[in-house]
């Protein structure tokens, strides 16, 4: 099924007809997902958006779109946080080391850096210097260097090194089929209702859209961070992998 077909089926099913019997229902009735004050989502069991009124939200993690509702779902136990590790990641090298041995070696590093700078500039000078012009003086004025001087001043990219990274992941707790809550966000209150879609790994989420809680609840991202191991833990990890 294409995403367009899934969306059209969902919007048709989710829309309550105007002749809906609302005598026993409290609040606004009938409800439609295309209302400006309601946001409807279909998310999977890892919290990624499948369907949204904003087409650009499809594929994004719901916590990045609405941190207040996702934070509440985690507190209520509907989603559990799981740490995943990537043992083949690449991280930027921290040039500002806080090691106590680095200042003792700083004069040596200074001499090495000066020598590298002198050697690189000397080689660049030899490459750009037109030695053939001495033997062919008639073409000396027309000679052009094959390498531009500005190439030595280009900004270098970030230096990367292998590392282990840790990033969060969220898993739906299937024992909770339906829940709702009210989030207080300063001068307004945001209500939401979430319900499991039967026979699937999907959840339908209806959120009150006219209350902004972004100041009180920042978005939840899935950005990876470099894993920090203790010396003992790193030694034990290497020991058990060797044997």
């Amino acid at each position: 099924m294409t995403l367009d077909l899934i969306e059209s089926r969902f919007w048709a099913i989710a829309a309550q007809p105007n002749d809906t019997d609302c005598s026993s229902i409290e609040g606004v009735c009938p409800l439609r997902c295309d209302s400006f004050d309601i946001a409807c989502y279909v998310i999977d069991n890892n919290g990624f958006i499948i369907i949204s009124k904003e087409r650009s939200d499809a594929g994004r993690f719901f916590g990045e779109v609405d941190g207040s509702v996702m934070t509440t779902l985690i507190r209520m136990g509907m989603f559990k946080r799981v740490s995943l590790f990537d043992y083949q990641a690449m991280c930027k090298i921290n040039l500002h080391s806080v090691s106590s041995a680095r200042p003792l070696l700083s004069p040596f590093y200074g001499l090495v850096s000066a020598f590298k700078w002198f050697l690189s500039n000397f080689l660049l000078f030899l490459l750009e210097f037109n030695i053939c012009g001495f033997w062919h003086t008639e073409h000396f004025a027309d000679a052009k260097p094959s390498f531009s001087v500005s190439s030595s001043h280009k900004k270098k990219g970030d230096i990367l090194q292998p590392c282990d990274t840790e990033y969060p992941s969220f898993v739906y707790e299937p024992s909770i089929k339906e829940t709702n809550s009210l989030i207080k966000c300063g001068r307004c209150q945001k209500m939401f209702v979430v319900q499991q879609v039967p026979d699937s790994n999907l959840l339908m989420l209806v959120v009150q859209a006219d209350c902004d809680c972004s100041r009180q609840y920042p978005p939840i991202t899935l950005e990876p961070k470099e894993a920090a191991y203790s010396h003992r833990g790193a030694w034990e990890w290497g020991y058990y992998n060797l044997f």
Side-chain angles (χ1 to χ4, degrees), residues 157-181:
D158 296 325
I159 302 176
L160 302 178
Q161 65 178 359
C163 66
D164 298 343
T165 56
E166 177 185 1
Y167 59 96
S169 179
F170 297 89
V171 180
Y172 164 63
E173 175 54 51
S175 61
I176 304 177
K177 304 296 184 182
E178 181 180 0
T179 187
N180 62 81
S181 183

mmCIF file of all heavy atoms in Angstrom, residues 157-181:
data_model
loop_
_atom_site.group_PDB
_atom_site.id
_atom_site.type_symbol
_atom_site.label_atom_id
_atom_site.label_comp_id
_atom_site.label_asym_id
_atom_site.label_seq_id
_atom_site.Cartn_x
_atom_site.Cartn_y
_atom_site.Cartn_z
ATOM 1 N N GLY A 157 38.543 19.568 6.978
ATOM 2 C CA GLY A 157 37.361 18.955 7.555
ATOM 3 C C GLY A 157 37.634 18.412 8.943
ATOM 4 O O GLY A 157 38.781 18.362 9.407
ATOM 5 N N ASP A 158 36.585 18.043 9.600
ATOM 6 C CA ASP A 158 36.719 17.494 10.943
ATOM 7 C C ASP A 158 37.442 16.151 10.890
ATOM 8 O O ASP A 158 37.163 15.295 10.050
ATOM 9 C CB ASP A 158 35.345 17.320 11.585
ATOM 10 C CG ASP A 158 34.638 18.651 11.781
ATOM 11 O OD1 ASP A 158 35.334 19.629 12.064
ATOM 12 O OD2 ASP A 158 33.405 18.682 11.644
ATOM 13 N N ILE A 159 38.376 15.974 11.808
ATOM 14 C CA ILE A 159 39.116 14.726 11.897
ATOM 15 C C ILE A 159 38.301 13.736 12.723
ATOM 16 O O ILE A 159 37.880 14.046 13.832
ATOM 17 C CB ILE A 159 40.501 14.955 12.529
ATOM 18 C CG1 ILE A 159 41.293 15.980 11.709
ATOM 19 C CG2 ILE A 159 41.274 13.647 12.617
ATOM 20 C CD1 ILE A 159 42.623 16.328 12.316
ATOM 21 N N LEU A 160 38.079 12.563 12.164
ATOM 22 C CA LEU A 160 37.254 11.560 12.818
ATOM 23 C C LEU A 160 38.105 10.372 13.239
ATOM 24 O O LEU A 160 39.151 10.094 12.648
ATOM 25 C CB LEU A 160 36.137 11.087 11.879
ATOM 26 C CG LEU A 160 35.190 12.158 11.343
ATOM 27 C CD1 LEU A 160 34.174 11.535 10.406
ATOM 28 C CD2 LEU A 160 34.493 12.893 12.476
ATOM 29 N N GLN A 161 37.639 9.689 14.257
ATOM 30 C CA GLN A 161 38.307 8.488 14.732
ATOM 31 C C GLN A 161 37.242 7.468 15.140
ATOM 32 O O GLN A 161 36.121 7.838 15.500
ATOM 33 C CB GLN A 161 39.203 8.798 15.934
ATOM 34 C CG GLN A 161 38.449 9.256 17.170
ATOM 35 C CD GLN A 161 39.369 9.500 18.342
ATOM 36 O OE1 GLN A 161 40.563 9.320 18.245
ATOM 37 N NE2 GLN A 161 38.792 9.923 19.464
ATOM 38 N N PRO A 162 37.547 6.168 15.075
ATOM 39 C CA PRO A 162 36.561 5.150 15.478
ATOM 40 C C PRO A 162 36.194 5.301 16.953
ATOM 41 O O PRO A 162 37.032 5.614 17.797
ATOM 42 C CB PRO A 162 37.294 3.824 15.219
ATOM 43 C CG PRO A 162 38.365 4.168 14.241
ATOM 44 C CD PRO A 162 38.781 5.576 14.540
ATOM 45 N N CYS A 163 34.921 5.081 17.248
ATOM 46 C CA CYS A 163 34.452 5.210 18.629
ATOM 47 C C CYS A 163 33.164 4.412 18.790
ATOM 48 O O CYS A 163 32.603 3.906 17.818
ATOM 49 C CB CYS A 163 34.218 6.677 19.002
ATOM 50 S SG CYS A 163 32.863 7.446 18.076
ATOM 51 N N ASP A 164 32.692 4.302 20.023
ATOM 52 C CA ASP A 164 31.401 3.700 20.342
ATOM 53 C C ASP A 164 30.419 4.814 20.691
ATOM 54 O O ASP A 164 30.758 5.728 21.436
ATOM 55 C CB ASP A 164 31.528 2.736 21.526
ATOM 56 C CG ASP A 164 32.460 1.582 21.219
ATOM 57 O OD1 ASP A 164 32.738 1.356 20.032
ATOM 58 O OD2 ASP A 164 32.923 0.920 22.168
ATOM 59 N N THR A 165 29.231 4.742 20.139
ATOM 60 C CA THR A 165 28.210 5.743 20.431
ATOM 61 C C THR A 165 26.979 5.067 21.031
ATOM 62 O O THR A 165 26.687 3.900 20.755
ATOM 63 C CB THR A 165 27.797 6.509 19.165
ATOM 64 O OG1 THR A 165 27.348 5.589 18.160
ATOM 65 C CG2 THR A 165 28.962 7.318 18.620
ATOM 66 N N GLU A 166 26.281 5.832 21.832
ATOM 67 C CA GLU A 166 25.041 5.385 22.465
ATOM 68 C C GLU A 166 23.912 6.302 22.016
ATOM 69 O O GLU A 166 24.056 7.525 22.018
ATOM 70 C CB GLU A 166 25.168 5.424 23.985
ATOM 71 C CG GLU A 166 23.903 5.041 24.738
ATOM 72 C CD GLU A 166 24.052 5.206 26.244
ATOM 73 O OE1 GLU A 166 25.140 5.645 26.680
ATOM 74 O OE2 GLU A 166 23.081 4.921 26.977
ATOM 75 N N TYR A 167 22.806 5.722 21.611
ATOM 76 C CA TYR A 167 21.660 6.523 21.187
ATOM 77 C C TYR A 167 20.383 5.890 21.727
ATOM 78 O O TYR A 167 20.292 4.675 21.877
ATOM 79 C CB TYR A 167 21.611 6.665 19.671
ATOM 80 C CG TYR A 167 21.527 5.374 18.904
ATOM 81 C CD1 TYR A 167 20.308 4.864 18.473
ATOM 82 C CD2 TYR A 167 22.676 4.657 18.587
ATOM 83 C CE1 TYR A 167 20.233 3.682 17.772
ATOM 84 C CE2 TYR A 167 22.613 3.471 17.878
ATOM 85 C CZ TYR A 167 21.391 2.995 17.469
ATOM 86 O OH TYR A 167 21.313 1.817 16.769
ATOM 87 N N PRO A 168 19.392 6.731 22.017
ATOM 88 C CA PRO A 168 18.163 6.195 22.624
ATOM 89 C C PRO A 168 17.207 5.622 21.585
ATOM 90 O O PRO A 168 17.216 6.014 20.417
ATOM 91 C CB PRO A 168 17.562 7.433 23.304
ATOM 92 C CG PRO A 168 18.006 8.571 22.444
ATOM 93 C CD PRO A 168 19.377 8.195 21.932
ATOM 94 N N SER A 169 16.406 4.704 22.035
ATOM 95 C CA SER A 169 15.316 4.152 21.252
ATOM 96 C C SER A 169 14.137 3.925 22.186
ATOM 97 O O SER A 169 14.324 3.753 23.401
ATOM 98 C CB SER A 169 15.723 2.844 20.581
ATOM 99 O OG SER A 169 14.643 2.302 19.838
ATOM 100 N N PHE A 170 12.935 3.964 21.648
ATOM 101 C CA PHE A 170 11.738 3.851 22.476
ATOM 102 C C PHE A 170 10.852 2.732 21.938
ATOM 103 O O PHE A 170 10.657 2.603 20.726
ATOM 104 C CB PHE A 170 10.976 5.175 22.493
ATOM 105 C CG PHE A 170 11.757 6.298 23.116
ATOM 106 C CD1 PHE A 170 12.593 7.083 22.344
ATOM 107 C CD2 PHE A 170 11.675 6.551 24.475
ATOM 108 C CE1 PHE A 170 13.325 8.116 22.906
ATOM 109 C CE2 PHE A 170 12.413 7.580 25.049
ATOM 110 C CZ PHE A 170 13.241 8.367 24.252
ATOM 111 N N VAL A 171 10.332 1.939 22.864
ATOM 112 C CA VAL A 171 9.536 0.760 22.514
ATOM 113 C C VAL A 171 8.186 0.855 23.207
ATOM 114 O O VAL A 171 8.111 1.182 24.406
ATOM 115 C CB VAL A 171 10.262 -0.545 22.915
ATOM 116 C CG1 VAL A 171 9.429 -1.757 22.538
ATOM 117 C CG2 VAL A 171 11.640 -0.613 22.276
ATOM 118 N N TYR A 172 7.143 0.577 22.470
ATOM 119 C CA TYR A 172 5.783 0.623 22.995
ATOM 120 C C TYR A 172 5.514 -0.568 23.903
ATOM 121 O O TYR A 172 5.888 -1.701 23.593
ATOM 122 C CB TYR A 172 4.791 0.657 21.832
ATOM 123 C CG TYR A 172 3.361 0.340 22.192
ATOM 124 C CD1 TYR A 172 2.643 1.154 23.075
ATOM 125 C CD2 TYR A 172 2.736 -0.777 21.660
ATOM 126 C CE1 TYR A 172 1.335 0.855 23.409
ATOM 127 C CE2 TYR A 172 1.419 -1.080 21.980
ATOM 128 C CZ TYR A 172 0.731 -0.252 22.861
ATOM 129 O OH TYR A 172 -0.572 -0.567 23.190
ATOM 130 N N GLU A 173 4.844 -0.306 25.024
ATOM 131 C CA GLU A 173 4.437 -1.342 25.956
ATOM 132 C C GLU A 173 3.026 -1.818 25.565
ATOM 133 O O GLU A 173 2.036 -1.113 25.784
ATOM 134 C CB GLU A 173 4.430 -0.798 27.383
ATOM 135 C CG GLU A 173 3.901 -1.763 28.434
ATOM 136 C CD GLU A 173 4.605 -3.102 28.426
ATOM 137 O OE1 GLU A 173 5.860 -3.117 28.462
ATOM 138 O OE2 GLU A 173 3.912 -4.135 28.352
ATOM 139 N N PRO A 174 2.891 -3.009 24.950
ATOM 140 C CA PRO A 174 1.599 -3.430 24.397
ATOM 141 C C PRO A 174 0.522 -3.714 25.431
ATOM 142 O O PRO A 174 -0.649 -3.867 25.068
ATOM 143 C CB PRO A 174 1.960 -4.699 23.609
ATOM 144 C CG PRO A 174 3.199 -5.212 24.266
ATOM 145 C CD PRO A 174 3.952 -4.002 24.731
ATOM 146 N N SER A 175 0.886 -3.806 26.710
ATOM 147 C CA SER A 175 -0.138 -4.072 27.713
ATOM 148 C C SER A 175 -1.067 -2.879 27.920
ATOM 149 O O SER A 175 -2.178 -3.035 28.428
ATOM 150 C CB SER A 175 0.515 -4.457 29.046
ATOM 151 O OG SER A 175 1.325 -3.392 29.535
ATOM 152 N N ILE A 176 -0.643 -1.684 27.539
ATOM 153 C CA ILE A 176 -1.474 -0.479 27.660
ATOM 154 C C ILE A 176 -2.139 -0.238 26.313
ATOM 155 O O ILE A 176 -1.488 0.178 25.353
ATOM 156 C CB ILE A 176 -0.635 0.741 28.089
ATOM 157 C CG1 ILE A 176 0.114 0.443 29.389
ATOM 158 C CG2 ILE A 176 -1.517 1.967 28.246
ATOM 159 C CD1 ILE A 176 1.016 1.570 29.847
ATOM 160 N N LYS A 177 -3.408 -0.500 26.220
ATOM 161 C CA LYS A 177 -4.137 -0.397 24.961
ATOM 162 C C LYS A 177 -4.612 1.025 24.690
ATOM 163 O O LYS A 177 -4.706 1.439 23.532
ATOM 164 C CB LYS A 177 -5.350 -1.338 24.971
ATOM 165 C CG LYS A 177 -5.008 -2.794 25.237
ATOM 166 C CD LYS A 177 -4.139 -3.393 24.145
ATOM 167 C CE LYS A 177 -3.892 -4.875 24.401
ATOM 168 N NZ LYS A 177 -3.014 -5.484 23.373
ATOM 169 N N GLU A 178 -4.929 1.768 25.733
ATOM 170 C CA GLU A 178 -5.502 3.104 25.549
ATOM 171 C C GLU A 178 -5.229 3.939 26.792
ATOM 172 O O GLU A 178 -5.249 3.420 27.920
ATOM 173 C CB GLU A 178 -7.015 3.010 25.301
ATOM 174 C CG GLU A 178 -7.699 4.347 25.081
ATOM 175 C CD GLU A 178 -9.192 4.204 24.831
ATOM 176 O OE1 GLU A 178 -9.673 3.042 24.836
ATOM 177 O OE2 GLU A 178 -9.861 5.227 24.648
ATOM 178 N N THR A 179 -4.999 5.212 26.592
ATOM 179 C CA THR A 179 -4.796 6.122 27.715
ATOM 180 C C THR A 179 -5.029 7.546 27.253
ATOM 181 O O THR A 179 -5.060 7.837 26.042
ATOM 182 C CB THR A 179 -3.379 5.972 28.309
ATOM 183 O OG1 THR A 179 -3.280 6.756 29.496
ATOM 184 C CG2 THR A 179 -2.330 6.466 27.322
ATOM 185 N N ASN A 180 -5.190 8.433 28.213
ATOM 186 C CA ASN A 180 -5.355 9.861 27.923
ATOM 187 C C ASN A 180 -4.828 10.644 29.106
ATOM 188 O O ASN A 180 -4.679 10.110 30.215
ATOM 189 C CB ASN A 180 -6.825 10.206 27.644
ATOM 190 C CG ASN A 180 -7.709 9.920 28.835
ATOM 191 O OD1 ASN A 180 -7.813 10.696 29.781
ATOM 192 N ND2 ASN A 180 -8.362 8.742 28.807
ATOM 193 N N SER A 181 -4.534 11.895 28.888
ATOM 194 C CA SER A 181 -3.983 12.721 29.951
ATOM 195 C C SER A 181 -4.169 14.186 29.606
ATOM 196 O O SER A 181 -4.538 14.544 28.478
ATOM 197 C CB SER A 181 -2.495 12.404 30.162
ATOM 198 O OG SER A 181 -1.972 13.163 31.248
#
